[in-house]
Amino acid sequence: MEAFIFDHVRTPRARGKADGSLHEVTSVWLASRPLVALAERNHFDTNAVEEVVMGCVNPVGEQGGNIARMAALAADWGEAVPGISVDRACGSGLEAVAIAAGKIKSGQADLAVGAGVESMSRVPMGSSGGAWAQDPTMSAKTHFVMQGISADLLASLHGQTRRDLDAYAAESHCRAARAWGEGRFARSVVPVKDFVGLTLIERDETVRPDTTVESLAALKPAFTEMGQKYGYDSVALQRYPQLQRIEHLHHAGNSSGIVDGAGAVLLGSATAAARHGLKPRARVRSFAAVGSEPTLMLDGPAAAARRALERAGMQPSDIDLWELNEAFSTVVLTFMSVMKVPHERINVNGGAIAMGHPLGATGAMIVGTVLDELERTGKGTALVSLCVAAGMGTAMVIERV
């Protein structure tokens, strides 16, 4: 059975700090906004939705207690709609879409939503803790380092220079600014309003059109002290002794931004399309997740992409557009090199370096971003992928219909 994508929406992404436009918005209100928009845009009976799967990387405090179910209720969806929250770190939003698609493909649901949310200004990154960083046994066993060290490690292993990384980052801002300027996001980004209807945010607020390689060159590397003073470099070099040292090259300007945001994708079967008057825009061809070496952590997307392509019976040459989360510049540069993907076919509207990475939501957001671009350009196929903390990767192939 086929799983079709009928629609998708996302909120703008706001700075994940106290001065961000969404800081005073609760996580559940933020998560509910895409659900409200999906129902308003598509006029289906929400009671027919058989699952809301929602990615959330820090499901504690106001984001805890199964925020997927609470978001559906906050959106005034039918009480019959169940919800489940999932955490595959940065891949959570795409995993949510994959679970929803899997239920449809297996015949266990006709209509489902894959979504994601992260309010990083209200529930900071790392709030949920975990054995990997906090249990010395696990830290030692896996050569645990902070993710910024992994980024610098990956760049060092591939011989990437500071200018390489900064050039990619500057282009991300340029592409995102152009996409906003040309209205490419207008169809799918819904403003966030407060309880009395006041608009809080309409556009991503971290895009800097004036970013250049020269302006980025003025920023100091962010992870030098962490690596050298706190010993993470030594830990990483135990795992990768072929390196003499780790070159610290990443900083706030060539790393993904900390932001608040939410997104949702409406999926269903051919039966659901006929029953509810929904028009399929794409089909989910395949999806995959893999594990990778946890110290390096960020090189999983290529292996996940290969597995998803194999399951779809496709080759990299069959993919028209690629969308890879810009966790750090090195992640995309490495992926392009390994998969032989030209820059003009990947992240063509910018990415998380410019617009930010709301951890649990990004995967669901970029499925929609690349679908809109397929439709805008008349192209047919896309592959979406993300690197994942603790050494994983996740990927999905979609095809426009």
Side-chain angles (χ1 to χ4, degrees):
M1 187 177 295
E2 290 197 296
F4 295 104
I5 297 174
F6 300 131
D7 199 11
H8 67 90
V9 292
R10 72 167 176 91
T11 69
R13 287 172 267 197
R15 286 188 299 274
K17 299 180 180 180
D19 63 349
S21 295
L22 295 175
H23 173 61
E24 295 185 0
V25 176
T26 64
S27 300
V28 70
W29 180 259
L30 180 60
S32 69
R33 296 307 89 192
L35 303 184
V36 169
L38 284 178
E40 290 178 345
R41 288 155 57 111
N42 295 282
H43 311 291
F44 59 89
D45 177 6
T46 59
N47 280 295
V49 175
E50 295 175 84
E51 190 69 273
V52 173
V53 190
M54 187 166 288
C56 184
V57 176
N58 285 287
V60 296
E62 67 180 49
Q63 285 185 172
N66 191 3
I67 195 170
R69 170 63 172 168
M70 292 299 103
L73 293 174
D76 293 321
W77 281 26
E79 292 182 355
V81 181
I84 182 171
S85 301
V86 298
D87 174 15
R88 195 191 288 280
C90 298
S92 299
L94 187 61
E95 188 65 26
V97 177
I99 291 172
K103 289 200 170 195
I104 294 159
K105 281 178 170 288
S106 65
Q108 301 306 303
D110 279 321
L111 197 62
V113 170
V117 64
E118 206 78 31
S119 178
M120 300 181 75
S121 67
R122 297 174 64 89
V123 186
M125 185 163 49
S127 294
S128 59
W132 190 36
Q134 297 182 357
D135 183 336
T137 302
M138 285 306 302
S139 297
K141 181 181 179 69
T142 58
H143 291 85
F144 167 78
V145 299
M146 301 297 290
Q147 197 169 85
I149 304 299
S150 296
D152 288 340
L153 172 62
L154 184 63
S156 298
L157 286 168
H158 286 270
Q160 295 158 1
T161 68
R162 170 69 181 262
R163 186 172 182 84
D164 294 335
L165 303 175
D166 287 353
Y168 181 84
E171 181 65 11
S172 179
H173 282 277
C174 178
R175 292 181 178 191
R178 182 181 63 231
W180 271 109
E182 295 179 358
R184 298 186 189 182
F185 298 139
R187 178 179 181 181
S188 304
V189 175
V190 295
V192 177
K193 300 181 179 181
D194 65 13
F195 285 94
V196 298
L198 178 67
T199 297
L200 301 174
I201 187 172
E202 295 180 297
R203 294 169 62 99
D204 299 320
E205 63 182 12
T206 61
V207 180
R208 300 186 301 278
D210 58 346
T211 300
T212 65
V213 175
E214 290 71 28
S215 65
L216 292 175
L219 299 176
K220 293 182 179 181
F223 307 110
T224 305
E225 182 178 11
M226 181 186 295
Q228 296 176 357
K229 183 176 179 179
Y230 296 101
Y232 286 117
D233 281 6
S234 296
V235 174
L237 292 172
Q238 288 175 17
R239 184 64 182 80
Y240 292 90
Q242 64 268 42
L243 288 176
Q244 289 186 334
R245 65 180 181 276
I246 295 173
E247 301 290 342
H248 290 290
L249 304 171
H250 286 89
H251 50 80
N254 57 26
S255 307
S256 56
I258 294 173
V259 294
D260 303 335
V265 180
L266 179 65
L267 305 102
S269 64
T271 299
R275 182 177 298 150
H276 301 284
L278 299 167
K279 182 181 179 181
R281 295 172 59 186
R283 61 171 56 88
V284 176
R285 288 284 301 267
S286 66
F287 43 85
V290 301
S292 62
E293 198 281 304
T295 304
L296 190 57
M297 194 185 320
L298 303 172
D299 66 339
R306 290 194 185 101
R307 182 171 292 179
L309 287 168
E310 181 180 358
R311 287 179 175 167
M314 301 171 72
Q315 300 294 325
S317 59
D318 297 321
I319 298 298
D320 295 320
L321 293 173
W322 303 74
E323 197 74 23
L324 174 62
N325 183 40
E326 295 175 350
F328 301 89
S329 285
T330 184
V331 174
V332 189
L333 293 181
T334 300
F335 184 88
M336 287 194 293
S337 175
V338 171
M339 297 297 294
K340 306 293 191 292
V341 176
H343 197 180
E344 61 267 20
R345 289 170 55 199
I346 189 168
N347 297 353
V348 298
N349 292 317
I353 288 173
M355 294 177 282
H357 173 29
L359 305 176
T362 304
M365 287 180 166
I366 62 178
V367 168
T369 296
V370 81
L371 173 54
D372 284 350
E373 186 65 14
L374 287 176
E375 293 175 334
R376 189 187 74 84
T377 58
K379 298 183 186 298
T381 57
L383 188 145
V384 179
S385 188
L386 299 94
C387 60
V388 181
M392 290 181 282
T394 183
M396 176 177 289
V397 177
I398 67 170
E399 180 181 34
R400 189 168 65 91
V401 296

